[in-house]
Amino acid sequence: QQSTQGCLSAWLMMRTGDEALGQALLDMTIEYIENELPNYIEHPYRYDYTGCYLASGDLEKAISAFETTVDHGHYSGWWIFTNLPWFEPLRGEPRFEAALQRVRDEMTAQRENLARIDATAGP
């Protein structure tokens, strides 16, 4: 389920160690998330494989993966996209920025709703 760890390890290996071994791990992990993982769990997109596709250099699939995750309301770790250098290639991409803004808007709405609940709650 947490195949993103394989992709992150592959990305790091490709940049700091054994590039060929990192590429092999990345290829194997992407093949797993695309072809095998959906056989085991109903909603594999909830783990967000944006980083896997970024590591492979496929910006279109990376943006699409992030949009799918956001479409289904799986915001776990969304803040990573605004902080890690791994995601630098997506910054400024209109579709990525629009999806990220949807997450920010949802977080704002949730905070406002919680503030309303707190304001109406008795002491």
Side-chain angles (χ1 to χ4, degrees):
Q1 293 178 1
Q2 297 297 332
S3 300
T4 52
Q5 299 304 318
C7 295
L8 178 58
S9 296
W11 182 78
L12 289 169
M13 289 168 65
M14 291 165 59
R15 281 155 182 77
T16 62
D18 188 333
E19 186 173 346
L21 186 58
Q23 185 64 55
L25 176 58
L26 180 63
D27 293 343
M28 183 174 59
T29 305
I30 289 175
E31 197 278 325
Y32 172 75
I33 64 174
E34 289 181 347
N35 299 316
E36 291 183 48
L37 185 60
N39 295 321
Y40 302 116
I41 59 177
E42 189 173 350
H43 302 286
Y45 52 78
R46 74 177 180 248
Y47 297 102
D48 188 27
Y49 301 112
T50 302
C52 296
Y53 293 118
L54 277 174
S56 74
D58 192 333
L59 293 183
E60 176 57 37
K61 280 189 176 181
I63 292 170
S64 181
F66 186 64
E67 288 173 327
T68 299
T69 299
V70 171
D71 288 346
H72 291 278
H74 299 292
Y75 304 140
S76 176
W78 69 273
W79 54 269
I80 291 173
F81 297 105
T82 63
N83 293 300
L84 285 181
W86 191 14
F87 295 92
E88 188 65 35
L90 291 182
R91 293 188 187 109
E93 290 286 337
R95 287 175 47 212
F96 173 74
E97 294 296 336
L100 193 55
Q101 187 59 51
R102 288 175 33 214
V103 173
R104 290 181 183 126
D105 292 345
E106 179 65 25
M107 297 301 108
T108 298
Q110 288 180 13
R111 280 189 215 95
E112 290 170 353
N113 190 42
L114 289 173
R116 280 191 296 278
I117 292 169
D118 285 347
T120 60

